[in-house]
Amino acid sequence: MRHLVLPAVTVAALSLGLAACNDRKVEATNEKPSAVASKVAAAGGDSVRLNPGRWETRIRMVKMEIEGMPPEAKKAMGDMMGKERTVTSCLTREQAEKPDAKFFGQADEACTYDRFSMGGGTIDSKMTCKHEGGQQTMTMHGTYGGDSYATSMEMQGQGPMGKAMSMQMELSAKRAGDCTGKEDG
């Protein structure tokens, strides 16, 4: 996932790196990723976390548009649409039990959750990230459990050189056993 065009999209995807086993709900409005991480930690127990282990995440790009994109780049991007890519990661027990701010967004705190709601197996969030190159707004909706999640994400904002950019992607992940040390990230 770290190879995607905008790291902010990865940030939103990682914010889903949680799961619930009961009806506890974590909600936040206009809060930094560190505040959301604190709320999740305060929820405690197994109520709001993924199970540790090896995770396989399937990523499918649905749409990618950048204003003024050269024709050859547009064709290459079009060839990628609809194709799935799978990445693997290892979630340690420590990361699952104590997710930090980096788990929920950029470590530089350039992002703010306009809204974040997670509970009862569903997640809904909107995050705004401001950088030198502009601003991106990302929304995410999906479902989750301790061993899997599925989400749809959409991003609107400015891409390279201040050009308008729009992107939509779908993610689905599942726990695939214990960590092997051969994961992508």
Side-chain angles (χ1 to χ4, degrees), residues 69-81:
M69 183 185 288
E72 57 277 0
K74 194 171 191 171
K75 182 189 177 324
M77 195 63 67
D79 291 345
M80 286 180 20
M81 293 303 123

Side-chain angles (χ1 to χ4, degrees), residues 60-73:
R60 187 172 76 88
M61 191 70 67
V62 177
K63 176 177 90 171
M64 171 72 99
E65 297 173 0
I66 301 176
E67 177 184 16
M69 183 185 288
E72 57 277 0

Side-chain angles (χ1 to χ4, degrees), residues 23-161:
D23 289 336
R24 285 193 184 182
K25 195 166 196 171
V26 174
E27 293 195 17
T29 302
N30 296 321
E31 295 189 43
K32 295 290 185 185
S34 57
V36 172
S38 294
K39 285 185 174 196
V40 170
D46 290 331
S47 63
V48 189
R49 80 171 78 134
L50 284 177
N51 293 321
R54 176 186 170 90
W55 280 79
E56 294 178 355
T57 304
R58 293 186 353 220
I59 304 164
R60 187 172 76 88
M61 191 70 67
V62 177
K63 176 177 90 171
M64 171 72 99
E65 297 173 0
I66 301 176
E67 177 184 16
M69 183 185 288
E72 57 277 0
K74 194 171 191 171
K75 182 189 177 324
M77 195 63 67
D79 291 345
M80 286 180 20
M81 293 303 123
K83 294 182 181 174
E84 281 189 6
R85 193 178 88 152
T86 301
V87 295
T88 59
S89 60
C90 176
L91 181 66
T92 67
R93 180 168 306 285
E94 294 79 20
Q95 291 168 322
E97 290 175 359
K98 296 273 185 193
D100 60 13
K102 195 174 187 180
F103 201 72
F104 292 88
Q106 304 234 0
D108 65 6
E109 297 287 306
C111 299
T112 299
Y113 280 101
D114 303 322
R115 71 175 186 272
F116 180 92
S117 176
M118 185 174 128
T122 63
I123 185 165
D124 176 59
S125 69
K126 179 180 178 184
M127 176 186 276
T128 300
C129 298
K130 296 178 182 178
H131 302 280
E132 283 182 33
Q135 176 175 306
Q136 293 97 25
T137 301
M138 292 155 288
T139 57
M140 179 174 58
H141 309 281
T143 59
Y144 63 88
D147 291 323
S148 66
Y149 66 83
T151 186
S152 174
M153 296 179 359
E154 191 169 326
M155 191 279 304
Q156 303 286 327
Q158 294 175 317
M161 296 181 280

